[in-house]
Amino acid sequence: MTGSAEDAQRRPGRPTELLIDASLEALRVGGGHAAGVYLRSRTSGTLRLSVLVGLPGPLFRPWWRLHVDRPFPVADALRMGVEVVLANATETMRRYPQFAAGLPFQFGSLYVPVGVGPKAHGVLTVLRPSASDAIELIPERERLARVAAELAGRLKDVPEQELLWDGEPLCVRPPAARPPGRAGFFTWDPGTGAVTPDGRLRALLGPAAKGSTGDARTFAHALVAPSDVEPLLAALRDTAGGRPHPVPLYTHAGDGSLRLVEVWTAPGPPGAPAAVVHGAVLDPGAGAAAGTAADLLPEGVFALDRLGTIVYANPRAEELLERPLAELLGVPLWDAVPWLNQPGCEDHMRGALLSPEPLHFHLGRPGPDGAGPYDGDWLAMSLLPGPDLLTCTVRPAHRVAGAPAAEPAEDSPPVEDVLPPGGVAPPGRTPPAGETRHAEAVVDPSLAPLYRPIVLAIALTEAVTARQVSAVVMRELLPAFGGRKLAIYLLQDRHLFLAWESGFPPGFLAPFEGIGLDARLPGVETLTNGRPLFFDSMQQLKDAYPGIALDATEGARAFLPLIASGRPVGSCILGFDRPRGFSTEERAALTALAGLIAHALEKAQRYESEAALARGLQQALLPRRLSAHPLMETAGRYLPATEGMEVGGDWYDVVTAGDGLALVIGDVQGHGVQAAAAMGQLRSAVRAFALGDRPPDEVLSGTNRLLIDIDSGLFASCCYIRLDPVTGAARAARAGHLPPLLRRPDGRTHLVELRGGVVLGVDAQEQYPVTEFTVEPGAVLALYTDGLVERPGGDIDDGIGRLRVALTRAGTPAELPGGQSLPRIAERLTATARHTADRPDDIALLLATRRFAPGDP
């Protein structure tokens, strides 16, 4: 479980040392469970986990390697150059459902790029306890950003090749947050109400021990967190009344760390009204005191450090795990107890390491041949998270949900060495028949959850083009089944055309392009027959189809029909480098997943056709040319969103208004044909008002009433500026839109503060005040929509600041080499957006500059 760097305290070189130090510091400042650094790989477009602090690497193997174009927070942070803050599991599921599907636990996370822009080295990440919202994490976010900036500064002189990572992550054990485990004992006399802790318990309580003697409630407040006080008092009362709890109480100290409390009774003094209650308190850890106390417990207890190494096990754990102590201590859990290495148990372990809540489940112990559990030989396991250790308890249990009854649990081994005050040891307890206390899940070793296919299904819901669907299959389906090659063919006019290929020799698939449905080929027959074809070896494929061209002599192939709702869509070919068999479960899973892929491809084909029509409508509604004036130069740019491939309602326009020009930019809420249609209506209305040279406030008021009258259910933002090209006098009004930027001839760029009203389409009586300002000759005025300045997880004010800096650096047309025109500046300002593959929103940009007129200074 410790990965490639045992204890990871060895540090092979300076770059690795810097990465480990930064990860440890990130863990500290981010208040996290775990931290790490992803670096670029030598494989283009791939990120690899280089350092992992506080988690066992093998347990998180699916997240060692990520494509930079995957919708994962690490990839977004690097690709977009932004900090990604996920406060809790709800926010994670909303923004990154694929990531949340693989780690569906209650935790938050932070991701900060190490470096800036295309030269960023990687991403620093912290997994931490959940928070209510991102605002609560602002201090941690700022501190983590400083750590990432310091790391980037230290790495700037390191050769680039030394910062490309292709191996396994170095797994680092974090420094202990508290001392090793301790334990103690107490007695409670219900007759007098007095609680008497022993010296060991006083030492465990520390300063709180001064007020711990006296009544039970005072003692409980000193011993456990406020939320656990009432359960502890109830357990004391029940035990005194002859109703002892069959298992220890899982409570927490004030700092959140785990404390196990075991209580039992012994006869009191003659005449006492109630039995004296004895108790043992265990603060889990690897110390000898903790071991002594845990030896008294009737159930197995063992503890793992944050890297999954067993640091403590009591005798009962040895018995139930069927391993001697010498083969447990200091050994990673799944090496010490191989039959625990099953997906369900791994998933519970991940949950316990990432979230604070205890987990309780039943686990079948395998039979002698390892093929399955004994009938009734089930264990009840509990995983109890702590700051430094994961404490695990195990006891015999009966299977739930109608399973055969378990054999009665054996009595706990007698305790012969250390006894609590009063000399009374806790008796061994056997759970009553059928009891399933604490059980929340049954893990059957024969049922392995297929996490990759689940992620594939979620990812396919987000893919909207055939290429995106194919890319998702390549990323998610092939790794799940060990495949190396993929080809997807789509059916068109009774012929199959290649939509995607990966891993096949160059040109090998060319002869099969456009093949008819009458050809005797497995990729054709799987579709025409509607049945998947599996070949365990290339020889088997050759025997079934004599004369077929083969791309390799060794390997295996699977040919899957892509059929959606009974309609043929195409076929999918999976290639494997080595011969292999396909189990019944794998064949069923691949066949079912082929159906999902087919539906996704059918949806993509239909959606692309509809999107093409909608984009045509939108392009027809945007201005083909902008109104001109001898003393003015204007340039506009429009970039549609690429996420979802839906058209939107952003628009810009330049309209002749009397002896001047009207500059207009707007953004209709939402995407799709309805938004584009509403945009066309608004643009026409604004043009009509502008051509009549109506004042800016009347233009917006009239357009606002029109949008309300057509009752589209949409609203829109708009900024309208009427500019006199001769004098530079500008009169502007805005309705909920972002303020424009003005770059003066001296290079200073600032926001033009415009008073404004609410967005159009909300209040028919809204008034839109007018602001006046001046545009000097040579100045550049920039109007834009939020798609240009807003980034996921970022502050829009930061985006406006970046645009202001970019406009300053872009210069004016007169400053550009060779006197290049204003469109060149527009290209510069939208360059980053044009090269972003997953723009979540449309972008509209309108620039205007006054030329110098004769007589201008």
Side-chain angles (χ1 to χ4, degrees):
M1 299 288 283
T2 54
S4 60
E6 181 69 26
D7 273 351
Q9 300 309 318
R10 68 175 200 183
R11 300 187 179 182
R14 180 173 173 270
T16 304
E17 182 177 349
L18 295 176
L19 296 173
I20 292 175
D21 289 344
S23 300
L24 290 169
E25 181 65 9
L27 185 72
R28 186 184 69 82
V29 304
H33 300 305
V37 179
Y38 279 87
L39 294 179
R40 296 181 186 272
S41 167
R42 288 181 174 83
T43 302
S44 178
T46 302
L47 289 172
R48 294 193 73 102
L49 183 61
S50 60
V51 173
L52 179 62
V53 176
L55 291 176
L59 203 58
F60 293 83
R61 185 181 296 271
W63 296 272
W64 285 6
R65 179 179 179 272
L66 294 173
H67 289 265
V68 295
D69 59 347
R70 289 187 75 180
F72 271 43
V74 171
D76 277 0
L78 181 74
R79 189 176 63 254
M80 299 180 183
V82 299
E83 300 169 8
V84 177
V85 179
L86 303 175
N88 48 50
T90 301
E91 178 72 2
T92 304
M93 177 58 76
R94 183 182 69 82
R95 293 176 56 187
Y96 297 97
Q98 293 184 48
F99 178 53
L103 293 171
F105 313 118
Q106 295 297 323
F107 69 96
S109 51
L110 305 169
Y111 308 85
V112 180
V114 179
V116 180
K119 295 186 178 180
H121 303 297
V123 177
L124 186 63
T125 178
V126 171
L127 308 182
R128 65 176 316 282
S130 295
S132 58
D133 53 41
I135 296 177
E136 185 179 334
L137 297 181
I138 288 177
E140 288 82 358
R141 172 184 173 183
E142 293 175 345
R143 291 194 292 265
L144 191 63
R146 287 194 292 269
V147 174
E150 292 173 1
L151 176 60
R154 293 171 180 171
L155 295 177
K156 67 180 182 180
D157 296 327
V158 177
E160 182 178 353
Q161 290 300 311
E162 294 186 25
L163 294 177
L164 298 177
W165 195 275
D166 288 296
E168 296 184 1
L170 300 176
C171 296
V172 180
R173 182 173 287 104
R178 61 192 182 94
R182 296 162 294 170
F185 298 92
F186 68 90
T187 58
W188 175 54
D189 185 343
T192 64
V195 174
T196 306
D198 71 350
R200 288 170 290 185
L201 185 54
R202 291 178 184 274
L204 187 153
L205 295 176
K210 294 182 179 179
S212 65
T213 55
D215 65 280
R217 182 169 295 275
T218 301
F219 169 73
H221 276 283
L223 181 65
V224 298
S227 60
D228 291 329
V229 167
E230 293 304 327
L232 176 58
L233 293 175
L236 291 173
R237 291 191 295 268
D238 289 348
T239 303
R243 300 182 301 277
H245 282 227
V247 294
L249 292 171
Y250 303 114
T251 66
H252 295 82
D255 63 357
S257 60
L258 175 72
R259 278 183 179 166
L260 276 71
V261 181
E262 174 87 350
V263 291
W264 62 96
T265 57
V276 174
V277 175
H278 293 263
V281 179
L282 170 64
D283 190 14
T292 300
D295 286 349
L296 302 176
L297 300 180
E299 58 183 20
V301 178
F302 61 98
L304 314 175
D305 68 8
R306 294 292 300 181
L307 297 190
T309 300
I310 301 173
V311 296
Y312 168 76
N314 72 350
R316 184 62 167 153
E318 293 182 72
E319 178 185 349
L320 294 174
L321 297 179
E322 300 177 333
R323 290 291 184 276
L325 188 64
E327 295 180 12
L328 293 174
L329 294 183
V331 181
L333 177 63
W334 282 277
D335 291 342
V337 191
W339 56 267
L340 287 178
N341 190 16
Q342 45 187 286
C345 187
E346 289 182 357
D347 194 41
H348 287 301
M349 284 288 178
R350 279 189 284 264
L353 287 165
L354 293 176
S355 57
E357 298 302 320
L359 292 172
H360 313 287
F361 59 98
H362 281 63
L363 191 70
R365 189 161 48 189
D369 58 356
Y374 289 110
D375 281 343
D377 194 7
W378 288 74
L379 299 176
M381 295 192 70
S382 295
L383 307 179
L384 308 149
D388 305 313
L389 298 176
L390 179 63
T391 302
C392 311
T393 68
V394 57
R395 60 188 176 88
H398 297 275
R399 188 175 180 178
V400 297
E407 293 297 324
E410 297 179 5
D411 290 339
S412 300
V415 178
E416 300 176 353
D417 45 5
V418 179
L419 297 180
V424 181
R429 301 190 180 102
T430 301
E435 178 186 320
T436 57
R437 187 183 186 91
H438 298 296
E440 296 179 358
V442 175
V443 181
D444 189 331
S446 65
L447 300 178
L450 298 176
Y451 295 109
R452 290 272 190 175
I454 291 174
V455 172
L456 169 66
I458 294 174
L460 286 175
T461 65
E462 300 178 348
V464 294
T465 68
R467 185 171 184 82
Q468 288 175 341
V469 171
S470 302
V472 166
V473 175
M474 180 68 193
R475 290 197 308 263
E476 307 297 348
L477 183 63
L478 283 189
F481 293 91
R484 296 283 184 174
K485 301 175 182 180
L486 171 69
I488 292 180
Y489 284 86
L490 296 180
L491 180 64
Q492 183 178 350
D493 298 328
R494 295 188 58 80
H495 289 76
L496 289 173
F497 295 90
L498 186 64
W500 178 280
E501 68 167 307
S502 177
F504 289 93
F508 172 75
L509 296 176
F512 304 102
E513 178 70 2
I515 200 77
L517 293 186
D518 56 349
R520 189 176 184 275
L521 292 169
V524 174
E525 293 189 351
T526 188
L527 181 61
T528 56
N529 296 332
R531 296 193 302 270
L533 301 174
F534 298 94
F535 299 95
D536 297 349
S537 67
M538 299 303 286
Q539 183 61 46
Q540 192 180 85
L541 174 59
K542 185 177 180 180
D543 293 342
Y545 293 88
I548 188 174
L550 300 178
D551 61 297
T553 57
E554 296 292 331
R557 294 291 181 269
F559 296 84
L560 307 175
L562 301 180
I563 299 174
S565 303
R567 294 185 297 274
V569 176
S571 59
C572 175
I573 305 172
L574 303 180
F576 304 84
D577 289 345
R578 297 178 181 177
R580 58 158 295 171
F582 295 91
S583 67
T584 302
E585 291 80 5
E586 286 179 319
R587 292 178 183 230
L590 285 170
T591 303
L593 291 171
L596 291 177
I597 297 167
H599 278 283
L601 287 169
E602 183 189 45
K603 180 189 71 174
Q605 290 176 313
R606 184 174 64 250
Y607 199 88
E608 286 176 330
S609 297
E610 295 173 354
L613 291 174
R615 283 195 296 270
L617 168 64
Q618 185 177 40
Q619 291 299 325
L621 294 174
L622 288 172
R624 292 182 179 274
R625 64 179 183 84
L626 303 177
S627 298
H629 190 282
L631 295 180
M632 291 290 298
E633 183 182 6
T634 59
R637 292 292 181 271
Y638 173 80
L639 300 176
T642 56
E643 284 189 359
M645 296 301 293
E646 288 188 328
V647 296
D650 291 22
W651 92 94
Y652 63 87
D653 207 349
V654 179
V655 187
T656 300
D659 57 357
L661 290 180
L663 310 175
V664 189
I665 197 160
D667 184 359
V668 178
Q669 165 221 9
H671 294 82
V673 175
Q674 186 181 16
M679 177 267 284
Q681 292 174 301
L682 292 183
R683 176 173 173 260
S684 298
V686 172
R687 285 186 67 87
F689 287 124
L691 289 170
D693 202 14
R694 303 284 290 276
D697 56 334
E698 293 185 20
V699 173
L700 292 187
S701 295
T703 307
N704 177 44
R705 288 191 292 272
L706 171 68
L707 184 57
I708 292 174
D709 288 343
I710 63 178
D711 195 23
S712 65
L714 301 176
F715 58 83
S717 66
C718 184
C719 182
Y720 182 96
I721 301 176
R722 201 281 190 187
L723 180 63
D724 186 337
V726 177
T727 64
R731 303 182 72 241
R734 67 186 180 105
H737 201 82
L738 297 172
L741 290 170
L742 181 63
R743 185 194 191 277
R744 298 187 181 279
D746 61 7
R748 291 178 299 154
T749 302
H750 63 89
L751 278 176
V752 181
E753 298 292 344
L754 302 182
R755 293 177 296 165
V758 299
V759 292
L760 307 175
V762 175
D763 183 1
Q765 306 303 318
E766 180 69 11
Q767 300 297 313
Y768 298 94
V770 175
T771 302
E772 298 183 355
F773 62 97
T774 301
V775 178
E776 304 168 82
V780 176
L781 185 64
L783 288 77
Y784 51 93
T785 56
D786 55 5
L788 185 60
V789 294
E790 195 169 30
R791 295 181 179 179
D795 192 308
I796 196 168
D797 290 336
D798 295 338
I800 294 174
R802 286 190 293 269
L803 179 62
R804 181 182 63 80
V805 172
L807 182 59
T808 299
R809 293 174 177 173
T812 65
E815 295 170 344
L816 292 175
Q820 298 173 35
S821 62
L822 195 63
R824 183 63 180 273
I825 296 179
E827 292 294 317
R828 288 188 176 188
L829 296 182
T830 57
T832 299
R834 284 199 312 275
H835 293 94
T836 299
D838 48 1
R839 293 188 298 275
D841 201 359
D842 303 338
I843 292 172
L845 172 68
L846 177 62
L847 301 180
T849 185
R850 282 184 65 208
R851 295 191 175 100
F852 286 87
D856 284 334

